[in-house]
Amino acid sequence: MRLNRCEPNWNKTRMDAERVGLILTGGGARAAYQVGVLKAIAELLPRHARNPFPVICGTSAGALNAATLAIEARNFRQAVRYLLNIWKSFHPRQVYRTDVLGVFGNSIKWFGGVLLSGLGINRLRRISLLDNTPLAGLIEALLPCEKIQSNVDAGLLHALGITASGYDTGQSVTFYQGASSIRPWHRTRRVGVPTHIDARHLLASSAIPFIFPAMHINREYFGDGSMRQIAPISSALHLGATRVMVVGSTNAEVEHGRRNEEGYYPSLAAIAGHALSSLFLDSMEVDIERVQTINQLVALMPPTTRAQSGLKHVELLVISPTVAIDKIAERHMHDLPWTIRFLLRLVGAAPRHGGATLVSFLLSERRYCNELIRLGYDDAMNRRDEILCFLNVAHPHDEGLPQ
């Protein structure tokens, strides 16, 4: 069994030396799945264990979860409990406006902006299908980002990286805050920029294109970090991680669509859902395959050749949903506020027309999020031995967190 070969040992010094990295991907409301996985990990660690991931990277909605872990790095269980309290009681109005004026007034501006842009007029700012002002207020109230630096200074955190996509430069930018030894990087279409992370970076990373407005940081507007993120794992490695755990919100093997027997032409919602799935899935799948290929090459190299090449083996553990999340979303579409249901119906978001995929990203609703949390928890517990091995935990601690 793999666990026996690892000789697991919960050792603070060893964990620091190895610098385990955690990558939390995007996916809008699907990020509730990550909280379930984190809940399982928290139960397997000692009760008062500090954050087991010195390097934490988040993209899109995963950025919000990542920031929470960084802020509460002193006590991992407390951080996960904090996330559970937020996600288990979520309502769409906490993420975007659901009132009549907020939904339809903003939508009229969005469609008007599209028409004006077609006429060469661009006077409207912050044009998006939905108004995410409530999310901005929620982040400001619940995430005191000033604690990140104090946790870095105390050695509780090596680095936090939040990735967003620049609309002007087309670059994937990882804003990071961490130890002074970390150096900025510049690769093709991706850069690492040191900064003091705040609500703006989190809002920029989670600004799903078309749906939420872009965020202005420094001299550029930024949107969802999943766009143009061609090498999601590389940020964690640049920040000093030597082994990486990826918690996704999609799974190519289970997210296969059902063929429409009627042969309906794809609705706007179906096309949007397909595009978003590509953003949140394809680049990570490709990067995982790339890392695995490099690991195979490194294993075949003689030690001297390996040293000259600069390539290193990167241990990778990927946890992703074992159930298609859009199928879960279908069961909870009716839980959305009527204003949002009506708006989505206008763009063709009906289950049989492929609209459930789009809904799965926007369904920040309590019952849906709780089902995803349970799925994430079960998936992680079913891979308990792999997780214990990866984290070098000698004796699991199954003291459950509140349900």
Side-chain angles (χ1 to χ4, degrees):
M1 211 168 48
R2 182 182 176 189
L3 182 60
N4 293 335
R5 295 201 302 269
C6 282
E7 298 180 0
N9 177 30
W10 176 258
N11 183 289
K12 174 182 173 184
T13 304
R14 182 176 176 182
M15 288 294 290
D16 283 341
E18 292 185 342
R19 287 212 192 111
V20 181
L22 174 67
I23 296 178
L24 300 175
T25 65
R30 288 170 170 240
Y33 173 85
Q34 300 168 358
V35 180
V37 174
L38 294 170
K39 178 177 183 285
I41 294 173
E43 291 183 3
L44 296 175
L45 298 181
R47 186 175 186 83
H48 297 290
R50 68 172 206 173
N51 164 47
F53 304 103
V55 175
I56 305 175
C57 295
T59 302
S60 192
L64 307 181
N65 292 337
T68 302
L69 296 181
I71 290 168
E72 299 295 337
R74 190 170 298 275
N75 189 309
F76 187 65
R77 281 198 173 207
Q78 181 175 311
V80 175
R81 190 178 295 113
Y82 196 53
L83 282 172
L84 282 168
N85 289 338
I86 294 172
W87 283 94
K88 292 182 75 172
S89 59
F90 239 154
H91 190 277
R93 64 172 175 268
Q94 295 175 283
V95 180
Y96 45 82
R97 289 184 61 178
T98 61
D99 59 287
V100 174
L101 180 61
V103 173
F104 297 110
N106 207 71
S107 300
I108 291 172
K109 288 181 181 179
W110 188 84
F111 287 112
V114 172
L115 292 174
L116 290 175
S117 296
L119 296 174
I121 303 173
N122 187 20
R123 294 183 179 178
L124 293 177
R125 298 292 182 91
R126 289 179 57 84
I127 298 175
S128 60
L129 190 61
L130 296 174
D131 181 351
N132 67 341
T133 302
L135 178 61
L138 186 70
I139 291 174
E140 291 283 0
L142 298 181
L143 296 179
C145 292
E146 62 274 8
K147 292 177 64 177
I148 296 172
Q149 189 59 48
S150 62
N151 287 335
V152 171
D153 295 339
L156 301 170
L157 178 72
H158 186 70
L160 169 67
I162 302 297
T163 300
S165 180
Y167 281 113
D168 292 335
T169 62
Q171 291 180 321
S172 177
V173 180
T174 297
F175 298 99
Y176 70 86
Q177 186 170 354
S180 58
S181 59
I182 302 172
R183 293 290 175 261
W185 63 90
H186 195 294
R187 301 291 185 270
T188 304
R189 292 292 182 185
R190 50 192 172 92
V191 297
V193 179
T195 190
H196 280 82
I197 291 172
D198 58 32
R200 296 172 305 153
H201 303 95
L202 303 181
L203 285 169
S205 183
S206 57
I208 300 175
F210 301 111
I211 296 174
F212 295 140
M215 195 72 191
H216 191 260
I217 301 176
N218 300 330
R219 299 180 301 276
E220 186 174 6
Y221 279 95
F222 288 88
D224 197 292
S226 296
M227 296 186 291
R228 296 206 169 190
Q229 193 180 27
I230 58 177
I233 298 173
S234 68
S235 294
L237 302 180
H238 280 296
L239 293 174
T242 56
R243 54 168 64 185
V244 178
M245 176 184 290
V246 178
V247 183
S249 58
T250 54
N251 185 331
E253 295 181 1
V254 299
E255 295 284 344
H256 51 82
R258 294 173 297 186
R259 184 184 298 274
N260 255 325
E261 294 181 3
E262 297 89 343
Y264 287 114
Y265 189 84
S267 65
L268 179 60
I271 295 172
H274 182 77
L276 290 178
S277 291
S278 298
L279 285 179
F280 296 121
L281 175 65
D282 292 353
S283 59
M284 179 58 75
E285 294 288 329
V286 170
D287 205 27
I288 289 171
E289 185 175 321
R290 182 187 299 120
V291 172
Q292 292 170 339
T293 300
I294 292 175
N295 284 344
Q296 292 170 356
L297 290 174
V298 170
L300 295 173
M301 289 180 179
T304 53
T305 305
R306 187 183 310 166
Q308 293 172 355
S309 71
L311 297 176
K312 296 180 180 179
H313 180 278
V314 177
E315 186 173 354
L316 195 63
L317 178 62
V318 182
I319 301 177
S320 56
T322 56
V323 175
I325 290 183
D326 58 349
K327 304 302 186 293
I328 298 175
E330 283 185 14
R331 299 197 295 269
H332 295 278
M333 290 179 70
H334 64 278
D335 292 329
L336 282 166
W338 73 268
T339 50
I340 302 299
R341 293 201 309 272
F342 184 80
L343 178 64
L344 291 174
R345 195 175 298 121
L346 289 177
V347 295
R352 66 174 184 170
H353 292 174
T357 301
L358 174 61
V359 172
S360 71
F361 295 101
L362 301 177
L363 193 52
S364 304
E365 193 280 331
R366 180 177 56 84
R367 292 198 295 180
Y368 171 69
C369 291
N370 275 273
E371 189 164 347
L372 294 190
I373 290 172
R374 287 193 296 271
L375 175 62
Y377 179 85
D378 291 341
D379 284 351
M381 280 302 187
N382 287 336
R383 300 181 62 182
R384 163 194 178 113
D385 286 354
E386 291 179 76
I387 293 173
L388 291 172
C389 172
F390 187 84
L391 295 178
N392 294 305
V393 180
H395 303 290
H397 296 251
D398 290 320
E399 300 173 28
L401 272 68
Q403 298 299 314

